[in-house]
Amino acid sequence: MKPQPQTIDVHRLKVPEAIEKVEQALYDAVVTGTPELRIITGQGKHSKNKIPALKLAIIGAMADYHIDAVPDATNPGVLVIHPPTNLAGPGPSTSSS
């Protein structure tokens, strides 16, 4: 039986909490072979200056892992990630080059 796409909702969390939850969900998705992870971030309507802070922070955090997080074509308040089949390396780079 093939794993189904998973959805998590982080749109009411602060940025650090949301990133932690997304990283855990990503790890779980890799372990279980989940083909798609959908992250509800909201559109930023309640954010300062209407800038979608969560969405931008999660896109940046996933870029640290070399994983694309792209807005859903039909819902701009959702990011879509296709987890890798395994996580290579120790995580985001800590070098300050």
Side-chain angles (χ1 to χ4, degrees):
M1 192 152 131
K2 195 173 183 182
Q4 296 296 312
Q6 298 295 313
T7 300
I8 62 168
D9 186 348
V10 299
H11 88 280
R12 294 282 184 196
L13 301 178
K14 301 288 184 193
V15 168
E17 297 165 325
I19 289 174
E20 183 178 331
K21 189 169 180 179
V22 169
E23 286 175 340
Q24 183 60 54
L26 176 62
Y27 176 81
D28 293 345
V30 170
V31 169
T32 61
T34 300
E36 181 179 276
L37 182 60
R38 297 176 60 79
I39 304 160
I40 301 170
T41 62
Q43 297 180 32
K45 291 181 179 179
H46 302 288
S47 297
K48 186 175 183 178
N49 297 325
K50 307 288 186 212
I51 296 171
L54 281 179
K55 182 190 297 186
L56 296 174
I58 292 168
I59 290 170
M62 292 301 100
D64 288 344
Y65 291 101
H66 306 286
I67 297 172
D68 290 329
V70 296
D72 182 279
T74 60
N75 184 343
V78 174
L79 289 173
V80 178
I81 294 175
H82 293 98
T85 54
N86 62 0
L87 289 177
S93 173
T94 56
S95 66
S96 58
S97 50

